[in-house]
């Protein structure tokens, strides 16, 4: 995220706006402390289109964004609205829709997120149905996971109802950005972070809950294309007693080095082992992992170092309904050489077939490097529910429109 210092009150050293040539942020949090403008968009969006819709009662806009939906990438596209609300410790959240503007917010340079990394993120999607309707997939699960993470990081958190209603509101306000049926999805990024001023390593006195959205295509290039992993023997994603089991912001920057090394060596991603025994599978940087052998599907257990993925949880239920024996257990890295199929699950990737895994120089190929039968089956059922093509017998989808 880009950081740039903005002018503050007269009690602080004054910085000339002419020298910086920065416009005032339309999303100011009105802090009495020195503040930073934090860009979450990276690209300036037009404010005029936002002003054309009443913020307190957004209506459907006829003009569609100028986007090549057939070549939609997995990247940030500025939209019309964000959702922003704040809460002091022991109080209630208040706020709502704001214009996206230039994609910046103001906060104290001594905020909890900037100084102590006190923050959580979530990820979910809105899907366009064939009839033009819009569905969310299990948003209450994201709300519950955020509450669990907030308890771990000692932050105030919106209730499940507040979370789901906020997601619905921001999706409805940005509905023209939901890609056409089967052309992608509207990625929804809720954030909860310490925005209050704090110097020692302690919980922030104020938290901000923010949601922004962006239309996205596939996480990896190609639709259900096999990816290739390398097992890391040097880096670990999480350790016992840490925060690997909650979706903390800091968990992701810790894998950048391992990811960069893997990509430079021709791999798509990294598969991590446990940090104690260094032999049990944990997860990939941004997804959970499943190992298939016959009619048995195994996945590492949720024991504090692995993120409880919502797609993971859904695939377990789907697979059991389809007659597979699903076991949550420790999986030794040596079992990869005997697997029939391996795949990953996550909000961004949905289902990612694993074409090969390399461990200590040995490359293990699955299904001739193509898409496995189970991967294809799970993907078809899961996306069928998400896009409203199949009956939602589980009650997982939530109608926005």
């Amino acid at each position: 995220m880009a950081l740039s210092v903005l002018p503050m009150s007269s009690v602080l050293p004054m910085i000339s706006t002419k020298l910086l040539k920065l416009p005032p942020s339309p999303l100011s949090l009105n802090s009495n402390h020195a503040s930073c403008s934090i860009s979450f968009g990276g690209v300036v969006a037009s404010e005029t289109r936002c002003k054309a819709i009443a913020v307190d009662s957004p209506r459907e806009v006829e003009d569609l964004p100028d986007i090549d939906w057939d070549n939609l990438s997995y990247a940030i596209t500025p939209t019309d609205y964000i959702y922003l609300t704040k809460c002091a410790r022991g109080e209630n959240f208040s706020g709502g829709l704001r214009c996206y503007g230039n994609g910046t917010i103001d906060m104290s340079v001594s905020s909890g997120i900037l100084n102590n990394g006190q923050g959580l993120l979530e990820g979910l999607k809105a899907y366009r149905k064939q009839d033009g309707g819009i569905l969310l997939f299990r948003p209450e699960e994201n709300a519950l996971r955020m509450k669990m993470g907030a308890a771990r990081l000692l932050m105030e958190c919106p209730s499940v109802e507040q979370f789901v209603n906020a997601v619905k509101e921001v999706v409805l306000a940005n509905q023209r950005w939901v890609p056409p049926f089967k052309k992608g999805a509207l990625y929804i990024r809720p954030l909860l972070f310490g925005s209050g001023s704090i110097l020692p390593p302690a919980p922030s006195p104020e938290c901000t809950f923010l949601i922004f959205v962006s239309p996205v295509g596939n996480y990896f290039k190609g639709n259900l294309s096999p990816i290739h992993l390398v097992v890391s023997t040097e880096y670990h994603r999480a350790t016992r007693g840490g925060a690997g089991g909650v979706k903390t912001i800091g968990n992701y920057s810790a894998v950048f080095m391992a990811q960069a090394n893997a990509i430079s060596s021709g791999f798509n991603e990294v598969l991590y082992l446990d940090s104690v025994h260094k032999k049990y599978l944990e997860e990939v940087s941004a997804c959970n992992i499943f190992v298939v052998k016959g009619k048995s599907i195994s996945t590492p257990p949720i024991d504090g170092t692995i993120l409880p993925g919502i797609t993971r949880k859904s695939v377990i239920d789907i697979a059991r309904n389809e007659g597979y024996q699903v076991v949550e257990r420790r999986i030794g890295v040596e079992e990869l050489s005997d697997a029939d199929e391996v795949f990953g699950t996550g909000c961004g990737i949905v289902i990612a077939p694993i074409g090969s895994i390399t461990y200590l120089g040995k490359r293990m190929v699955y299904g001739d490097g193509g898409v496995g039968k189970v991967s294809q089956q799970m993907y078809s059922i899961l996306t069928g529910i998400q896009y409203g093509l199949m009956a939602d017998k589980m009650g997982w989808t939530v109608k926005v429109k």
Side-chain angles (χ1 to χ4, degrees):
M1 295 187 295
L3 301 183
S4 55
V5 179
L6 290 180
M8 288 297 104
S9 67
S10 59
V11 299
L12 298 168
M14 296 300 294
I15 303 174
S16 171
T17 54
K18 289 185 178 181
L19 289 175
L20 290 176
K21 296 181 180 180
L22 291 175
S25 168
L27 305 179
S28 172
L29 299 186
N30 299 320
S31 171
N32 292 322
H33 304 282
S35 71
C36 286
S37 168
I38 299 187
S39 170
F40 57 83
V43 181
V44 175
S46 169
E47 292 182 52
T48 56
R49 67 176 181 226
C50 180
K51 292 176 182 176
I53 314 169
V55 174
D56 58 348
S57 181
R59 61 176 174 79
E60 185 171 358
V61 182
E62 296 299 329
D63 58 315
L64 296 177
D66 184 17
I67 291 179
D68 181 0
W69 297 113
D70 290 318
N71 294 292
L72 192 60
S73 64
Y74 200 89
I76 290 290
T77 298
T79 51
D80 295 329
Y81 290 94
I82 67 167
Y83 187 95
L84 190 148
T85 177
K86 301 186 298 178
C87 179
R89 193 177 302 159
E91 297 183 3
N92 297 316
F93 282 92
S94 61
L97 288 176
R98 305 278 188 96
C99 288
Y100 191 109
N102 63 359
T104 63
I105 60 174
D106 288 350
M107 70 170 66
S108 169
V109 295
S110 56
S111 64
I113 181 62
L114 295 181
N115 291 268
N116 297 321
Q118 188 186 24
L120 299 165
L121 73 157
E122 277 297 328
L124 64 158
K125 292 176 179 175
Y127 301 86
R128 179 81 67 180
K129 297 171 61 182
Q130 278 184 307
D131 63 5
I134 300 172
L135 295 177
L136 300 174
F137 184 72
R138 310 192 75 175
E140 72 287 343
E141 292 290 336
N142 294 91
L144 290 168
R145 189 167 64 182
M146 179 168 274
K147 285 184 70 68
M148 179 180 68
R152 177 66 174 82
L153 299 189
L154 298 181
M155 290 194 291
E156 301 290 343
C157 185
S159 67
V160 172
E161 183 180 12
Q162 285 176 314
F163 182 103
V164 173
N165 286 341
V167 168
K168 284 176 162 181
E169 193 172 350
V170 77
V171 169
L172 190 59
N174 291 290
Q175 61 184 288
R176 72 192 186 111
W177 297 92
V178 181
F181 174 69
K182 286 284 189 174
K183 298 288 186 181
L186 186 71
Y187 188 85
I188 306 160
R189 170 51 55 84
L191 296 167
L192 181 67
F193 55 90
S195 53
S197 181
I198 188 79
L199 187 59
S204 172
E206 175 194 86
C207 290
T208 291
F209 175 56
L210 183 153
I211 307 174
F212 69 93
V213 300
S214 177
V216 296
N218 295 315
Y219 188 90
F220 295 111
K221 289 184 178 179
N223 188 22
L224 203 62
S225 298
I227 62 172
H228 304 278
L229 310 180
V230 61
V231 178
S232 176
T233 56
E234 182 179 2
Y235 298 101
H236 298 282
R237 198 198 72 87
T239 58
R240 291 193 179 279
V246 295
K247 208 168 173 68
T248 65
I249 288 172
N251 281 346
Y252 292 86
S253 55
V255 306
F256 292 166
M257 178 67 76
Q259 278 182 322
N261 291 342
I263 292 171
S264 67
S265 298
F267 301 100
N268 297 105
E269 257 292 2
V270 181
L271 174 58
Y272 299 93
L273 301 178
D274 75 289
S275 62
V276 177
H277 305 284
K278 299 180 172 44
K279 68 175 184 178
Y280 295 110
L281 306 186
E282 293 232 314
E283 61 179 296
V284 183
S285 301
C287 68
N288 298 112
I289 195 160
F290 288 78
V291 178
V292 181
K293 183 66 177 176
K295 291 292 288 184
S296 178
I297 303 177
S298 300
T299 190
I302 302 300
D303 60 0
T305 59
I306 297 174
L307 190 70
I310 295 162
T311 309
R312 171 191 181 275
K313 183 177 182 179
S314 303
V315 164
I316 288 174
D317 288 341
I318 291 171
R320 285 174 175 160
N321 286 343
E322 293 300 309
Y324 293 96
Q325 179 186 16
V326 183
V327 183
E328 297 178 73
R329 64 176 180 86
R330 280 178 156 185
I331 305 170
V333 65
E334 70 279 356
E335 294 185 50
L336 290 174
S337 61
D338 192 41
D340 295 334
E341 186 179 342
V342 183
F343 63 90
T345 63
C347 173
I349 65 169
V350 188
I351 303 290
I354 310 301
S356 72
I357 299 177
T358 299
Y359 175 58
L360 297 177
K362 178 184 177 182
R363 186 168 183 259
M364 295 160 279
V365 180
Y366 306 100
D368 297 324
V371 179
K373 174 186 173 183
V374 179
S375 299
Q376 181 66 66
Q377 185 180 14
M378 295 300 108
Y379 178 83
S380 298
I381 296 173
L382 186 61
T383 56
I385 296 171
Q386 290 170 336
Y387 282 101
L389 291 172
M390 297 179 63
D392 179 17
K393 298 178 181 179
M394 303 286 196
W396 286 343
T397 56
V398 173
K399 182 178 179 182
V400 175
K401 175 191 172 187

